[in-house]
Structures are given as C-alpha cells and as structure tokens.
Amino acid sequence: MSVNYQAVLWNRQKKIYDRVLAAGVLLYLIIFIVFGAIVHPNATAEILMIRGFGTASLLLLHIILSIGPLCRINTRFLPLLYNRRHLGVTMFILALAHGILSTIQFHVLGNTNPFVSIFTSNQDYTSLSNFPFQPLGLFALGILFLMAATSHDFWLANLTPPVWKALHMLVYVAYALIVLHVVLGVLQAETQPLLVILLAAGMVWIFALHLVAANKEKPADMQVAELQAEGYTEVCGVDEIANNRGKIVLLAGERVAVFRYDDKISVISNVCQHQNGPLGEGKIIDGLVTCPWHGFQYRPQDGASPAPFTEKIPTFNVKVIDGRVWVDPRPNLPGTPVEPARIGS
Amino acid sequence: MSFDKNDEFYVGYLSEAPAGVAGLIKKVVIALLALAAFIAVLLVVNQSPFYPSLFEFGTYRSFEGVIQEKPYPTLLVKRPGEAGKLPGFSQYYLVSFGKFGAAEAVKGLDGQQVTLEGSLIYRDQQTMIEIVDGSISQVERSNGAAGLSVEGEGQKLGNFTLTGEIVDSKCFLGVMNPGNLKPHKSCAIRCISGGIPPVFAVQDKNGMTNYFLLLSADGQSVNQDVLKLIAEPVKISGDVYQYGNLLVLRADPEKYELM
C-alpha cells in the first residue's frame, strides 16, 4: 500500500474493457449516422453527426451513472467500475465533438465571436420555453472537461481524495445541465413523444437505482452514525486481517490488537502481562491468543489466561459493519468478557 | 461493500475474472450493446422528417443576369423558352459566404448585368445563390436582358393575416436541415443580423410551405427588428405584394404578434 500514485500497466482486463467500449461507441455512431443518412436522405451530415455524438454521449453518461449504485447493490458488477474513468473520458470526447460541431454549425462565420454568440444570440433568459439552452450545454461540457482532465491518479494524489471526489461528484450537476439542455433545446422542436419518453425513462432509471442503493446502505449508515455517537472509532477492514492472526492498531494513543478467528473479531490490549510482548504480532493457537515472545496465552473473548494461570489484560468493545472494524476506545477492566463481533453481521 | 469469504472476488489487474463474475458481466455487456443499437435505431426512425432541400456545397456554377439590389440582393436570370404567365425571368436570392447577406457584394450594381459564380441553395420554388467572393464581373448589357427588372414595389395582392415562423432564408432553404425552430434559433439570429433576408415561412392546411420575404410597411429591411421573434410562432397582418417571383409581406414589425 502506498499514498503515492503508480502507473498501472495496460493489463488484459483494461484492454478488454476499452475494446468493448470502442466497439459500443462505433456501433452506436454507425447506426445513428449511416443508417440515419439512409432513412433521412435530406438530413445534412452535420446535423446527423451533431445528434449522433450528443445522444451517444448522453447514453454513455447514463451507463456511467448507473455503475456506482449497481456495484453498491451487487459487488459482482465491480468489473464495470474497474475502468470507468475511460468511459468518462470517452463520454467527454463525444460531448466535445457535439459541442464543437454545434458551435461551428450555429455560431461560426457570423458577425459575432462564436463564444460570445453562444451566450448572446438568444438573450431570452427570463423565458422558460425560450431559454437559451446552448450555454447550459457549454457549462456541462466545462464540468466534464474538468473531470476528464483530472481523471488520472496523479490528480487524485495531488488534489487529495476528498477534493477529487467532490470535484467528480459534479457529474450530477453536469447531468442536470444536460437534461435541461435537451429539454429546452431539441425537445422544443421535436414532436415525436419517444424522445421525451426515453429521456424521462433514463432519469427515472438513474434516480431509482440511486434510491435502491442508498436504501441498501441505509442500515449500515445508520449503524455507523450510532457507533460514532457512542464514541466508536473505525480502525481497519476485516479483510486486512488474516484468519487466526492479529493486527495492531493505534486507538486513542494506545496500541490494541485486533484478532480474527472463527468468523469473529475480538480486540484486546496489545501488551502481554508477562514482559510487554506485542500480542498483535501473535497468533491464535487452540483458540487462544499466543504471545510471540514467550507463548503466554489469553482468551480473545475476555483477555484472561486459561486456568490455572491468572494473567488478565484489558478488552475492548467491538463491532463490525460493512466489513469495517469499529472499536470503543475506552478499555474494559482486565478480564472483562466482551461479545466478539460477527464478521458476517 | 461486504464480501463473504466464499464469494468470488474480482481483481482487475489479474488476467482472468472469476467465472461467475465474468459470466454476469458478459451478459450485461451484450445487453448494453444491444440496448445501444436499439436506442440508436429508435432515435433514427423517430426523428421528425427532414424536408427536401439542398445546398450544393463545394459545387460552383456560373450565372449571368441582372442584379436587383433592393429590397434584398437578387439576380434576375432570363428564363429559357416561353414563360407564359410567369415573369420572363427567374429571381435568385443572393447571399455571401457564411452568415452574411450580399448587400456589400452587389453595392452599386443595381440594374447591371453581371456574371458571377456561386453555389445553389434551393427548397420548393425558392432558389438562392451563395456568391463566391470576388467572382462578380460586370458585363455589357445584352439585348436578351431587356425586361429583366422588377419595377417599383411590385403588384399588391391584398391584406392578409398570416401565422408562421420567421426564418433565415439561407439556412431554411437548404444550408441546414432542419434550419428552423429552437435548436436553430441562435444560428438564425446570427444570419439575419448579418443581412440574410428574413423570410416568413407559413404552412398551409396541406402542409405546404409558403414563403414571404419580410419588409417593413414602408418597404425597408426589418432584419434588426425581428431578432427577438425568430423561431417562434408569430402572427403578422400586412400587405402582400408579388415582386417578381417573390411574395413580399409588408408590415410594421412592432405589430408582429408572438403567439
């Protein structure tokens, strides 16, 4: 593990991911533009391309926004998440092509600077149906650019994860802007109800998926909130501890040993009563935490040595939520029995 | 996320995904590709129809005729053969490259016979020429050019109230398709503010489009007055004139009504 970013090589899974992505985008564009030109011979090529790139980008955005909640609902969707940033960059490129072509088509070769024209040609900003929809698309494109430009781990490391995550959550703002761009733009001209139905279905899908994922995580979120209120501290993930082994963590300035055994987690002091040996580096043998220095043993459930021995060490209250270990930093008196946390709970 | 230790666990940098996960993802990917293709087909067949129009982009023809500067630049070209009841000439709108009218290009050439090169733009019975910059040459007026003029204000056909859409004639006639309504609004504003003739497109009950060149009540250009009404349903009451081939609607732009 490292806090530094590292270049991940172009591995097999990524290659498969990108090939499928490229095939999907090409399939869509060929159908839309080539089949579109056959069905609509009077349509100009630029219009078909503008619409093709725009709709491809919007469809891809729906897929991108679906992946997060799908993975939270079922971890078997995780391969879709693995290279999602390439989906994002591809979506941005499609949106950029749509934006560039539209700007050339509608604003270039006129009596005003094209970028000024985007904002000033239609100035009916107080109207709803007549609201200038193109600036909305431009703002969305700006957000997508920021996200695409910072998608590399270099930026994740340098911006810090909280800032990076906040920046990338702007995708929902971009989505809202794009929906408005479509509703106040092409839907004001197209009379076919299918376009409205498709856009509404996409919005309902995204909203419902996020709602289901949030509901699935709600119990765990509430438990976490309760634990935080009770003073518990998250110390590590269950998967960071090998079975019948311990992990030493720092809790309120003191080292404690977190042990995993029989699908359970117990937490005891890290200090052996014998010669202060590091119990967390020990192993559970015959159901007992065994000190690596001299083999002194303690029951993980209550920190007491088995009879006839009388050594006792402090224990800690522990809970496992969503694969994470939470510990109450206030130690119990040495030898106090504590119910082990079930890993599956 | 929680993982049961017996569950399959996907690691992206390993060459193979667990069989169960891979099976699910294959099905999802195939479904997504099919969905993408299906949506593309749906969107193609559900677009509003594209009306026949053409811009001969990159194709340049030579024309000879008489320039008419007002109310908008047009080229009068003698019809071959007998014209019957029709005027003895065809009347082509003239525009410049990009989103600009041809007022500057034809300045001082009113009534003069010229040759020029340009690309044709046409829809229904309306024809326009995008002039190749610098291609206009004044030539000696030939006998065949006699009668190639539209005198005065044209013939008044009566007072009408019409409902339609103000469009920029260059895009609507074929440079863009579709070249009207909200998605095209900004472009139409650029074109009309740049001098492209504003045309009132009125659909009759059979769905056919009638074209009325817009002028003020006193016959002046209304380009800068109609910018806020472009691509909107508008009602105009005014006098209709037959001006050569063109129908002209003359009305005070302040009295145009947004529907």
Side-chain angles (χ1 to χ4, degrees):
Chain A
M1 302 293 285
S2 165
V3 293
N4 294 323
Y5 72 91
Q6 284 187 319
V8 175
L9 296 177
W10 215 256
N11 59 48
R12 181 173 178 269
Q13 301 279 349
K14 281 194 173 184
K15 287 178 183 171
I16 294 172
Y17 198 112
D18 287 353
R19 280 179 197 146
V20 171
L21 171 60
V25 170
L26 278 178
L27 175 72
Y28 183 91
L29 291 177
I30 287 171
I31 291 175
F32 196 100
I33 297 171
V34 178
F35 178 57
I38 294 167
V39 175
H40 301 291
N42 294 317
T44 56
E46 311 89 82
I47 289 290
L48 288 175
M49 285 194 285
I50 286 171
R51 292 181 177 185
F53 286 129
T55 53
S57 173
L58 185 52
L59 179 59
L60 206 48
L61 181 56
H62 279 88
I63 294 171
I64 291 166
L65 292 178
S66 302
I67 290 175
L70 276 176
C71 291
R72 295 205 297 278
I73 292 167
N74 188 336
T75 56
R76 285 152 65 89
F77 287 108
L78 275 170
L80 297 176
L81 185 76
Y82 181 55
N83 211 16
R84 185 174 53 174
R85 64 184 66 188
H86 283 197
L87 280 184
V89 173
T90 304
M91 187 263 294
F92 163 69
I93 292 169
L94 289 168
L96 182 66
H98 170 82
I100 289 174
L101 280 173
S102 299
T103 304
I104 292 172
Q105 178 91 336
F106 299 129
H107 297 280
V108 166
L109 299 177
N111 55 4
T112 303
N113 178 298
F115 292 105
V116 174
S117 174
I118 289 173
F119 294 96
T120 59
S121 53
N122 175 10
Q123 300 183 27
D124 211 350
Y125 285 94
T126 54
S127 163
L128 183 61
S129 66
N130 201 26
F131 192 89
F133 69 99
Q134 290 166 335
L136 299 172
L138 186 61
F139 284 131
L141 192 60
I143 292 174
L144 298 180
F145 167 73
L146 280 179
M147 292 175 60
T150 59
S151 65
H152 193 272
D153 276 353
F154 170 84
W155 289 103
L156 176 61
N158 283 282
L159 290 174
T160 72
V163 173
W164 189 88
K165 188 67 183 173
L167 176 67
H168 283 244
M169 289 299 277
L170 287 176
V171 69
Y172 291 101
V173 177
Y175 179 59
L177 288 169
I178 291 169
V179 167
L180 285 172
H181 173 73
V182 173
V183 169
L184 298 174
V186 71
L187 291 190
Q188 297 296 312
E190 284 290 339
T191 52
Q192 302 287 346
L194 183 94
L195 301 177
V196 180
I197 292 168
L198 277 180
L199 186 67
M203 290 167 63
V204 169
W205 163 259
I206 294 295
F207 184 74
L209 207 55
H210 281 73
L211 208 60
V212 170
N215 275 339
K216 184 171 183 289
E217 291 179 335
K218 195 175 177 183
D221 289 345
M222 288 174 66
Q223 280 179 297
V224 166
E226 285 172 14
L227 286 180
Q228 285 171 332
E230 292 171 17
Y232 277 71
T233 302
E234 182 184 352
V235 294
C236 64
V238 167
D239 54 2
E240 296 170 37
I241 312 169
N243 198 32
N244 288 326
R245 287 285 189 175
K247 179 180 174 70
I248 300 168
V249 297
L250 200 61
L251 190 66
E254 295 292 332
R255 288 186 171 188
V256 299
V258 184
F259 277 94
R260 174 178 181 168
Y261 59 102
D262 299 337
D263 255 356
K264 290 182 282 192
I265 296 283
S266 287
V267 182
I268 55 176
S269 166
N270 189 49
V271 182
C272 179
Q273 282 283 288
H274 175 222
Q275 284 188 358
N276 294 349
L279 289 175
E281 293 177 16
K283 184 178 180 183
I284 291 189
I285 299 172
D286 298 331
L288 299 169
V289 173
T290 306
C291 181
W293 284 6
H294 304 98
F296 271 58
Q297 291 189 305
Y298 304 88
R299 281 192 295 271
Q301 301 90 338
D302 60 10
S305 296
F309 305 104
T310 56
E311 284 80 9
K312 290 177 183 172
I313 55 173
T315 57
F316 292 83
N317 294 337
V318 59
K319 294 188 177 172
V320 171
I321 295 170
D322 212 10
R324 307 297 297 176
V325 179
W326 292 74
V327 182
D328 186 342
R330 294 162 294 190
N332 298 309
L333 290 173
T336 304
V338 170
E339 183 69 26
R342 291 275 170 193
I343 290 175
S345 63
Chain B
M1 285 175 284
S2 62
F3 298 97
D4 189 292
K5 67 178 181 183
N6 296 319
D7 275 353
E8 291 179 327
F9 190 77
Y10 173 77
V11 181
Y13 54 77
L14 299 180
S15 62
E16 297 289 338
V21 170
L24 174 71
I25 295 302
K26 274 181 192 167
K27 287 176 191 164
V28 170
V29 166
I30 290 168
L32 281 175
L33 291 174
L35 180 71
F38 180 62
I39 287 179
V41 170
L42 270 185
L43 289 175
V44 164
V45 298
N46 279 279
Q47 291 176 79
S48 295
F50 293 80
Y51 201 85
S53 65
L54 196 66
F55 173 33
E56 294 183 347
F57 180 72
T59 301
Y60 304 110
R61 300 171 188 265
S62 295
F63 301 89
E64 181 169 349
V66 174
I67 295 283
Q68 196 86 25
E69 266 194 81
K70 298 290 182 180
Y72 287 92
T74 55
L75 185 71
L76 310 181
V77 179
K78 185 174 173 58
R79 285 184 196 275
E82 292 296 321
K85 292 180 180 177
L86 295 171
F89 52 83
S90 298
Q91 194 170 13
Y92 299 156
Y93 285 111
L94 293 175
V95 293
S96 293
F97 181 68
K99 302 180 195 308
F100 294 99
E104 283 299 314
V106 303
K107 200 170 184 178
L109 293 174
D110 192 41
Q112 301 299 312
Q113 187 161 347
V114 299
T115 62
L116 58 83
E117 287 195 358
S119 300
L120 278 177
I121 304 162
Y122 45 90
R123 173 172 175 159
D124 295 327
Q125 303 303 315
Q126 308 287 306
T127 309
M128 176 179 277
I129 299 168
E130 183 187 79
I131 304 168
V132 173
D133 191 26
S135 70
I136 302 177
S137 301
Q138 198 171 338
V139 294
E140 206 169 306
R141 194 171 175 106
S142 63
N143 291 336
L148 287 187
S149 65
V150 183
E151 299 299 335
E153 299 176 342
Q155 179 190 354
K156 184 174 178 179
L157 301 181
N159 187 276
F160 295 88
T161 297
L162 303 166
T163 302
E165 179 187 346
I166 300 172
V167 297
D168 81 86
S169 49
K170 186 174 183 181
C171 290
F172 191 71
L173 294 187
V175 170
M176 293 186 194
N177 196 348
N180 63 328
L181 295 174
K182 179 84 180 280
H184 183 261
K185 181 176 178 120
S186 294
C187 180
I189 290 172
R190 284 277 72 79
C191 286
I192 291 178
S193 66
I196 302 288
V199 160
F200 198 45
V202 178
Q203 281 209 331
D204 64 20
K205 58 186 176 184
N206 299 318
M208 299 298 292
T209 305
N210 296 289
Y211 301 82
F212 298 88
L213 180 63
L214 286 174
L215 292 179
S216 67
D218 58 355
Q220 302 301 308
S221 153
V222 293
N223 287 46
Q224 304 308 320
D225 303 310
V226 301
L227 297 180
K228 289 184 178 175
L229 297 172
I230 289 169
E232 295 281 318
V234 172
K235 185 162 80 175
I236 303 176
S237 295
D239 295 326
V240 174
Y241 289 79
Q242 174 90 40
Y243 187 85
N245 285 349
L246 306 177
L247 290 175
V248 175
L249 177 58
R250 291 174 56 155
D252 183 352
E254 288 188 2
K255 293 181 180 171
Y256 293 0
E257 287 180 55
L258 198 60
M259 299 293 288

